[in-house]
Amino acid sequence: MSACTANVSGQDYAEFIYRHSSATPEELSALLKTDCISYVNESYVVYYIPLEEAMPLSIPNHSYESLPSLFGLMDTTSMAASGILETFRQPALGSNGEGVIIGFIDTGIDYQNPLFRNADGTTRILGLWDQTAEDGGFELSGNRPFLFPFLFGREYTDEDLNHALAQDDPLAAVPSVDTDGHGTFLAGIAGGGPAMSPDFVGAAPMCSLGVVKLKPAKQYLRDYYMIPDDAQAYQSTDIMLGITYLTLLARRHRRPLVICLGLGTNHGGHSGASPVGEVLNSLRSYIGVAAVCAAGNEAGLRHHYLGQVKGPVGGSGDFDEVELHIGENQKGVSLELWANSPEIYTVGFVSPTGETIQRIPLSLNTETTVTFSLESTVIVVSYATALGTQSSYLASLRFINPIPGIWRIRVFPTIVFSGVYHIWLPVEGLISPDTYFLRSDPYTTVVVPGNADFPITVSTYNHLNGSLYIHSSRGYTRDGRIKPDLAAPGVEVYGPGLSSIPGRYPMSRMTGSSVAAAHVAGAVANIYSLQYPAAVYPDISGDLVKATLIRGAKRNPNYTYPNREWGYGTLDLYHSFLSLRE
């Protein structure tokens, strides 16, 4: 139990990621100089310290891998196209998600919606961790329930939710709401029951649900990454703890678990080695646990630049000039240049007015602040190597108060072999649509953590005409692994909306790779439900589920598979079930 007595969810506390190796709680407290520590798994903890002690925030002061990154949202004919309705028509399969938990880490859920209730009106949600709720009545002395070992928010169990649903005003008892609708929509697609509308059913209508309602990113991180004031952003630390909560919930109820993540970020090397990606990869050791991630909606948004410079092997050469258009009213923008170690690159700049900043020399573990004579723009440059488990090189470039227009980033090879490097802008929603690369590249745009190895990563297609969604992120990963794994419907998909009128539950439509991921999450739950109630396939790992879906995927004879757009094909659950016979 933690002895933390602070309100760590408040704006006056900063949080960081720390990778440890078999350290005891006492050793960690002494090392990190705080008792406010949350355990994610055997390798990671999140620790909290007063904000005034953490500032100023910088890579040299705290290291890149310790800083929380910010994630954005990756926004029933679709069920037929996915081969899901066909499985419902086969009574022998008995596959409808029963006995399986689908977990969502998102904007919350409208728990009153009939889609998430049993025929008798009771809830199908086994646990809801609302990170935005106040402490929930627990004493801040650390006397928290053993099964809820987190330092903020409140858990509502199925008993709490059923008690609320029996009241005239459920929100008076459980005041957790989804004000955005994203989480409710994904839960409806993956696991919505048939109670509300005769023309709608989710992919796994008899599954149970686990929900994490993420708290918004803290202001100090929003300021550091300079994202728009109205942007919806969520912290990697809260997502990591959400994964831990869902695994604890599944152990508590002894159920298989499918985690559905409809969020993503361009912060990170796109090689799968991010902290969130590694926490997902650690689930590989658990039988009956799978994870599904959205590939992202970045291909057509011009947020990725692929560069190559020439020079002698192991030496330097000519610079490459990257043209970046920065739009009006962009208060700042954070870019990350990544390359394979041991290559090293340095940068210089030319402003829209023609002012030139010469090559900034390599100086590791320090920040260089560049000021311009003719405008108020400041650029902060940090070079870093040996990033935790990432064998990569990073140049972090933060434009503060940039004047609009075309900026030129000159990339100089210092030590090169392949000469290949990548630069990513933040994902859609965390940056102005008028900020983009003039010579962008649509590939290697699968977002973090979808480029991690273990999750099933899903791209997006239009099930009505069979075309790839224009913005569907494309692979492969920066280190050449095959991602995405599958494509699923995600364009103008029909699902549950939100209403301000009590008792009214309208339907709506949504587009994005998070919707495609929800289809696959429901399909995975249906595979796991083959074990219920008799253990027909008792040892189905997440990797075996992925292989089963790949075997049964539809493949166009005109394409070569795997490929960067469709992975191994489009989701077809019915044929995946047939492949189990082989």
Side-chain angles (χ1 to χ4, degrees):
M1 292 291 183
S2 171
C4 178
T5 60
N7 178 17
V8 297
S9 64
Q11 295 291 342
D12 54 350
Y13 264 75
E15 51 206 82
F16 298 94
I17 301 166
Y18 181 72
R19 185 181 179 91
H20 68 97
S21 177
S22 302
T24 66
E26 293 76 15
E27 291 170 337
L28 282 174
S29 292
L31 175 66
L32 303 176
K33 299 180 181 179
T34 178
D35 290 325
C36 296
I37 301 173
S38 289
Y39 283 78
V40 176
N41 59 14
E42 293 83 359
S43 299
Y44 284 101
V45 297
V46 177
Y47 68 96
Y48 307 85
I49 61 175
L51 182 60
E52 59 185 15
E53 297 179 11
M55 301 303 283
L57 212 60
S58 70
I59 291 176
N61 285 347
H62 302 287
S63 81
Y64 176 83
E65 56 269 25
S66 73
L67 295 177
S69 53
L70 297 190
F71 285 61
L73 302 174
M74 303 285 107
D75 306 302
T76 334
T77 50
S78 64
M79 298 300 167
S82 302
I84 291 170
L85 293 186
E86 186 65 22
T87 65
F88 294 165
R89 300 187 186 106
Q90 308 296 323
L93 290 176
S95 176
N96 52 22
E98 188 174 8
V100 181
I101 299 173
I102 304 181
F104 302 90
I105 304 173
D106 215 281
T107 63
I109 192 169
D110 180 4
Y111 71 85
Q112 298 183 69
N113 195 310
L115 283 174
F116 311 123
R117 298 163 71 172
N118 297 305
D120 62 1
T122 58
T123 187
R124 290 167 46 219
I125 303 170
L126 296 181
L128 163 59
W129 178 20
D130 188 337
Q131 295 184 349
T132 69
E134 295 186 2
D135 191 71
F138 305 137
E139 294 293 332
L140 286 177
S141 63
N143 295 322
R144 301 163 186 269
F146 175 73
L147 292 176
F148 187 68
F150 302 103
L151 300 179
F152 60 94
R154 177 166 183 170
E155 181 190 35
Y156 299 102
T157 66
D158 51 347
E159 292 181 358
D160 296 326
L161 295 170
N162 284 328
H163 172 74
L165 291 171
Q167 309 303 310
D168 293 334
D169 182 9
L171 292 179
V174 176
S176 182
V177 295
D178 179 4
T179 57
D180 178 83
H182 190 268
T184 296
F185 194 97
L186 298 195
I189 294 298
M196 191 172 71
S197 174
D199 60 348
F200 175 81
V201 67
M206 297 298 290
C207 74
S208 298
L209 305 173
V211 179
V212 176
K213 179 181 178 180
L214 292 168
K215 64 178 175 66
K218 292 183 178 179
Q219 190 62 46
Y220 81 95
L221 288 171
R222 300 174 70 93
D223 293 340
Y224 179 77
Y225 291 110
M226 298 169 292
I227 66 171
D229 294 337
D230 59 349
Q232 290 179 274
Y234 305 93
Q235 297 175 197
S236 58
T237 45
D238 294 332
I239 296 170
M240 293 163 69
L241 293 171
I243 295 169
T244 301
Y245 170 75
L246 292 176
T247 57
L248 291 175
L249 183 70
R251 292 180 193 176
R252 187 190 309 172
H253 291 275
R254 300 176 182 269
R255 304 277 187 93
L257 171 66
V258 185
I259 295 175
C260 180
L261 269 179
L263 304 98
T265 183
N266 275 340
H267 295 301
H270 291 67
S271 62
S274 69
V276 176
E278 291 190 354
V279 171
L280 290 174
N281 285 341
S282 72
L283 301 178
R284 172 171 273 141
S285 60
Y286 298 102
I287 297 297
V289 176
V292 182
C293 290
N297 312 310
E298 290 288 296
L301 299 180
R302 307 175 78 174
H303 291 166
H304 171 239
Y305 181 88
L306 175 62
Q308 183 161 19
V309 292
K310 297 180 180 179
V313 173
S316 61
D318 297 332
F319 66 80
D320 184 23
E321 193 161 81
V322 182
E323 294 178 308
L324 171 66
H325 182 274
I326 295 183
E328 300 279 351
N329 302 318
Q330 181 80 58
K331 66 179 182 180
V333 59
S334 177
L335 300 83
E336 293 183 355
L337 182 156
W338 289 85
N340 291 336
S341 180
E343 297 195 350
I344 291 177
Y345 299 83
T346 51
V347 295
F349 305 94
V350 180
S351 75
T353 62
E355 185 173 355
T356 300
I357 300 298
Q358 299 299 327
R359 180 178 189 170
I360 299 172
L362 179 68
S363 179
L364 296 177
N365 301 318
T366 62
E367 275 190 344
T368 301
T369 300
V370 177
T371 58
F372 289 80
S373 302
L374 302 180
E375 52 257 340
S376 60
T377 303
V378 173
I379 301 178
V380 180
V381 178
S382 298
Y383 301 127
T385 60
L387 298 160
T389 60
Q390 303 185 58
S391 178
S392 301
Y393 173 77
L394 166 68
S396 170
L397 317 176
R398 299 175 60 241
F399 288 68
I400 302 171
N401 297 319
I403 63 169
I406 297 175
W407 288 80
R408 290 172 173 83
I409 304 169
R410 290 179 171 174
V411 179
F412 297 87
T414 299
I415 298 177
V416 296
F417 293 89
S418 70
V420 175
Y421 67 92
H422 301 258
I423 307 179
W424 284 277
L425 290 164
V427 295
E428 181 184 22
L430 303 188
I431 191 174
S432 164
D434 294 326
T435 299
Y436 51 83
F437 293 115
L438 269 62
R439 292 181 291 118
S440 61
D441 179 71
Y443 296 101
T444 326
T445 51
V446 173
V447 296
V448 176
N451 37 48
D453 191 50
F454 176 69
I456 304 168
T457 305
V458 189
S459 62
T460 310
Y461 81 101
N462 187 330
H463 62 283
L464 298 177
N465 59 24
S467 65
L468 187 75
Y469 176 46
I470 187 173
H471 294 311
S472 180
S473 288
R474 305 177 186 183
Y476 296 126
T477 64
R478 184 170 62 87
D479 55 345
R481 288 176 297 104
I482 296 167
K483 289 287 177 175
D485 299 297
L486 295 168
V491 178
E492 285 294 299
V493 172
Y494 187 62
L498 295 180
S499 173
S500 59
I501 303 175
R504 182 180 176 185
Y505 304 101
M507 303 297 285
S508 64
R509 293 189 181 274
M510 188 178 290
T511 294
S513 62
S514 56
V515 180
H519 281 84
V520 174
V524 173
N526 288 336
I527 293 176
Y528 276 138
S529 71
L530 286 175
Q531 304 178 63
Y532 186 87
V536 180
Y537 296 96
D539 296 322
I540 302 181
S541 66
D543 285 326
L544 179 56
V545 168
K546 183 192 297 188
T548 300
L549 291 177
I550 287 172
R551 291 187 190 112
K554 295 177 185 175
R555 284 178 269 274
N556 188 323
N558 296 316
Y559 298 155
T560 299
Y561 295 92
N563 61 57
R564 296 203 226 182
E565 294 84 6
W566 302 86
Y568 288 92
T570 60
L571 173 66
D572 188 335
L573 179 62
Y574 180 64
H575 282 89
S576 294
F577 276 130
L578 295 182
S579 74
L580 289 173
R581 301 185 306 184
E582 302 173 4

